[in-house]
Amino acid sequence: MATLVTFHAHPDDECLRTAGVMRKAVEDGHRVVLVVATKGEVGEVPDGFLAEGEKLEDRRVQESHAAAAILGVERVEFLGYRDSGMMGEPTNDDPACFWRADVEKAAEQLAAILREESADVLTVYDDNGDYGHPDHIQVHRVGLRAAELAGTARVFQATFNREFMQRGFEAAVEQGLMPPEAAPKPPENVEFGKPEAEITAAVDVSKYAAVKRAAMRAHPSQISEDMFMLAMPDEAFTFAFGTEWFIRWGEGPGITETDLMAGL
């Protein structure tokens, strides 16, 4: 049995990026640990969604534990930083937010968990945090430094395959699996994901598509039933989210790995 630690910025991020490899690792007999930098305090919910007096961060923590249970995660930890919000928002200036955290200090917090777990594999995000979100970029910085401090040699940067996503959504619309207006579009002037040529690992997690979708449903404060991830037909969902993509320095060129836990 080996240990996989997945490091994420906010509750629900794990479902979109690594839920498949997490569940796969569990079913292959490994231990999985989820570490989240913030409690997602800056997320938005409709009026009346929360109970009277309920705080959004408390609800999002509950949702994280519910999703983790679905995925088979054995330990969930929060580093205690505040959600920074989108890049350029005033919340970026909050001294308690993750974007403003001292990288060395935050990395030592994560490294302590990596040491406790004798972590074999760590997942972080790519250097642009998928689409330039400050907390996601900080996950990249803090995660890589923590791996250095703890001596965790196998580090995978979760990303999205830019060309695959575009091809997939175009095909789904053409085949009538998704209405054109439902196909998500990257924010303007933002580089989303990474070019296929930079990706070194592609893990087929289509077997776990239903579990991945169930974990998404465990985060109703952020992923509503009418969002495209849950609204699309099962076939389209499996195509779009049935592969998880990573970059591992020292591997490639091209995709040379298909299992984060191979050989462990």
Side-chain angles (χ1 to χ4, degrees), residues 4 6 8 13-25 71 123 156-161 164 199-206 208-209 211-213 216 237-247 255 257-260:
L4 166 66
T6 59
H8 292 277
D13 286 338
E14 81 288 347
C15 296
L16 300 174
R17 290 159 182 81
T18 63
V21 296
M22 292 165 76
R23 183 65 187 186
K24 181 179 186 302
L71 297 174
T123 70
F156 290 91
Q157 302 172 49
T159 190
F160 292 110
N161 182 329
F164 178 86
I199 295 172
T200 69
V203 184
D204 180 359
V205 296
S206 56
Y208 312 105
V211 175
K212 187 169 182 173
R213 213 168 195 181
M216 289 181 183
F237 179 89
T238 300
F239 181 88
F241 294 99
T243 303
E244 292 177 350
W245 312 90
F246 301 87
I247 299 169
I255 294 170
E257 295 183 286
T258 57
D259 183 355
L260 306 193

Side-chain angles (χ1 to χ4, degrees), residues 9-14 36 38-40 60-61 64 78 219 222:
H10 317 100
D12 84 356
D13 286 338
E14 81 288 347
V36 189
T38 80
K39 295 179 180 179
R60 296 196 72 182
V61 167
S64 288
F78 289 85
H219 289 282
Q222 303 301 307

Side-chain angles (χ1 to χ4, degrees), residues 39-209:
K39 295 179 180 179
E41 297 89 343
V42 184
E44 297 181 357
V45 294
D47 290 341
F49 181 87
L50 299 174
E52 185 176 354
E54 183 182 21
K55 295 181 179 179
L56 177 58
E57 54 263 41
D58 294 338
R59 171 66 70 90
R60 296 196 72 182
V61 167
Q62 292 173 11
E63 292 175 351
S64 288
H65 283 281
I70 291 168
L71 297 174
V73 173
E74 295 192 46
R75 178 182 179 185
V76 180
E77 293 288 345
F78 289 85
L79 295 189
Y81 295 95
R82 186 168 177 78
D83 187 348
S84 306
M86 298 296 288
M87 188 69 81
E89 294 293 324
T91 47
N92 296 172
D93 299 324
D94 186 336
C97 78
F98 190 46
W99 180 236
R100 294 294 175 187
D102 179 86
V103 170
E104 199 71 15
K105 178 181 176 182
E108 183 51 51
Q109 286 179 268
L110 177 58
I113 296 172
L114 296 176
R115 294 189 196 103
E116 289 172 14
E117 292 290 342
S118 299
D120 300 279
V121 181
L122 171 68
T123 70
V124 296
Y125 302 153
D126 67 42
D127 58 0
N128 191 45
D130 292 334
Y131 59 95
H133 192 295
D135 286 334
H136 293 198
I137 295 171
Q138 193 76 319
V139 162
H140 173 83
R141 297 171 177 171
V142 169
L144 292 185
R145 179 55 181 149
E148 290 180 343
L149 293 171
T152 305
R154 193 180 295 197
V155 182
F156 290 91
Q157 302 172 49
T159 190
F160 292 110
N161 182 329
R162 196 178 295 166
E163 290 92 339
F164 178 86
M165 286 181 59
Q166 189 60 39
R167 291 194 301 267
F169 290 130
E170 289 173 357
V173 171
E174 289 174 3
Q175 296 171 26
L177 298 173
M178 177 188 296
E181 64 273 14
K185 295 177 177 59
E188 291 184 8
N189 303 318
V190 172
E191 291 291 343
F192 196 92
K194 288 291 183 179
E196 197 165 64
E198 295 182 23
I199 295 172
T200 69
V203 184
D204 180 359
V205 296
S206 56
K207 177 181 177 181
Y208 312 105

